[in-house]
Amino acid sequence: MGTIRDVIIIGSGPAGLTAAIYTARARFEPLVIAGFTFGGQLMNTTLVENFPGFAEGIQGPELMQGMIDQAKNQGAEFINKNATQVDFSGEVKKVWVGDDVYQARAVIVAVGSEPRRLGIPGEDEFYGKGVSTCATCDGAFYRDKVVAVIGGGDSAMEEASFLAKFASKVHVIHRRDAFRASKAMQERVLAHEKIDVLWNTTVTEVVGDTKVEKLLLQNTQDESTSELVVDGMFLSIGHIPNSEMFSGQLELDDDGYVVHTGSKTSVDGVFVAGELIDKVYRQAVVTAGMGCKAAMDVEKWLA
Ligand code: NAP
């Protein structure tokens, strides 16, 4: 049945890549199943100003490429395809990439989370035709156009500020009367001349012909409805853990996060790191730290 490795790492955000660096340095020759869109969420970010060691900040993709190169230099092997199935039931763990199966004594799962969607009419239909979850990827298409950003967290503030560089107007639509975002990021948005905020408002439908033309809105307090003419809608309403593949294999909580003790999962020999177990911090430096812990726990476990 082919080679049995010491460790396979599924995922290539800061958690997976840090785990790869550590396990490679420990000479376990890890296999990283990195995914088609390897590098995680920071591949869709511009300037990262809060990762320690970069006095002037660093672009997200550059940071992630640095981690990938570092892991490769230490001896990690990469497959830039998605893991499609796992079987953690035996002593040897199996991970499939399409028809190919890879085996290891230990597995670290670090596949992170993905953007939450609203689940309203028109959202799927116009996805990629005005509906986006990534301002960094799509913002430049909205030069001198009007866009809406949905959400009130740090991500929404970041997206709104970024989009204001291109768009003629940015409407931030938030379901409450106060932002969840940190004060500094809120202040930047609230002071920006191109950005306004629609408080206590939800989007109930995305309307258009071949692309987004307007949003139907509802006030959460008096339930009054209105319309907002926009060229694009950027969703920034949090994330959902990518744990579907592990359902039935690992114990998950009600929100789909992996149940864990430290980096240990419910299955002996399967470890977890990053946003699959982090509902709170979601910071690259935190997930990198988790990747380090998982790698060190694997090292001990293998010994
Ligand atoms: P978040 O903090 O969970 O905020 C999500 C926002 O979306 C909230 O304002 C929430 O509203 C709203 N929301 C959720 N579901 C919704 C729905 N169905 N309809 C309408 N609105 C909805 O998520 P995030 O902004 O992605 O941030 C995640 C974490 O990353 C946070 O810890 C944040 O601090 C961190 N982060 C940090 C930075 C940075 O420091 N540079 C940048 C980005 C993110 P409510 O407030 O009403 O719940």
Side-chain angles (χ1 to χ4, degrees), residues 12-302:
S12 59
L17 293 174
T18 304
I21 292 164
Y22 272 75
T23 50
R25 278 198 85 228
R27 300 292 170 252
F28 288 121
E29 298 175 359
L31 173 68
V32 182
I33 301 177
F36 288 116
T37 52
F38 54 87
Q41 292 178 53
L42 282 184
M43 296 300 276
N44 299 326
T45 308
T46 48
L47 193 63
V48 178
E49 291 180 311
N50 50 11
F51 199 88
F54 301 94
E56 306 302 324
I58 182 168
Q59 294 293 316
E62 194 185 339
L63 177 62
M64 298 321 296
Q65 192 57 54
M67 291 189 201
I68 290 168
D69 294 344
Q70 194 176 352
K72 284 183 178 169
N73 290 344
Q74 294 292 343
E77 191 186 330
F78 278 69
I79 295 176
N80 290 344
K81 290 183 184 168
N82 291 345
T84 47
Q85 192 190 329
V86 296
D87 180 355
F88 294 155
S89 60
E91 206 170 305
V92 173
K93 316 295 180 228
K94 295 178 186 162
V95 182
W96 279 263
V97 175
D99 291 336
D100 299 327
V101 60
Y102 299 90
Q103 305 181 94
R105 294 161 64 206
V107 174
I108 298 174
V109 295
V111 295
S113 58
E114 67 179 69
R116 177 177 283 119
R117 308 277 280 264
L118 286 168
I120 55 170
E123 184 184 30
D124 287 345
E125 185 187 344
F126 293 108
Y127 198 81
K129 298 171 195 162
V131 176
S132 171
T133 52
C134 178
T136 314
C137 318
D138 301 331
F141 298 124
Y142 294 88
R143 195 172 292 280
D144 299 326
K145 302 209 163 156
V146 178
V147 296
V149 174
I150 320 302
D154 283 328
S155 300
M157 302 301 108
E158 214 169 59
E159 301 271 276
S161 300
F162 180 76
L163 285 164
K165 292 180 187 170
F166 305 95
S168 59
K169 186 84 204 165
V170 180
H171 301 285
V172 175
I173 300 175
H174 184 40
R175 63 184 178 183
R176 290 192 293 123
D177 61 358
F179 284 141
R180 175 184 294 274
S182 58
K183 270 273 176 294
M185 294 177 86
Q186 290 193 29
E187 281 167 7
R188 204 176 305 165
V189 161
L190 293 169
H192 201 296
E193 56 178 9
K194 281 198 203 169
I195 305 175
D196 70 11
V197 183
L198 292 156
W199 302 104
N200 300 311
T201 303
T202 55
V203 183
T204 54
E205 188 172 344
V206 183
V207 178
D209 184 10
T210 55
K211 59 181 184 54
V212 173
E213 290 171 12
K214 63 183 176 186
L215 306 178
L216 304 190
L217 307 179
Q218 182 163 46
N219 186 292
T220 55
Q221 297 199 316
D222 60 14
E223 298 196 347
S224 60
T225 56
S226 58
E227 294 184 359
L228 183 70
V229 175
V230 295
D231 302 292
M233 175 177 87
F234 288 81
L235 295 169
S236 205
I237 56 169
H239 290 78
I240 297 172
N242 289 321
S243 57
E244 208 175 317
M245 187 169 49
F246 307 114
S247 167
Q249 298 282 334
L250 299 178
E251 195 182 337
L252 306 178
D253 72 12
D254 290 345
D255 297 325
Y257 288 84
V258 174
V259 173
H260 65 104
T261 307
S263 70
K264 292 186 177 162
T265 68
S266 55
V267 175
D268 193 35
V270 180
F271 298 77
V272 63
E275 291 192 9
L276 276 179
I277 52 171
D278 181 8
K279 301 180 187 184
V280 179
Y281 299 103
R282 297 182 188 281
Q283 298 296 301
V285 66
V286 175
T287 66
M290 289 176 171
C292 163
K293 283 187 188 175
M296 292 177 78
D297 290 344
V298 162
E299 195 176 338
K300 238 183 255 162
W301 186 85
L302 285 170

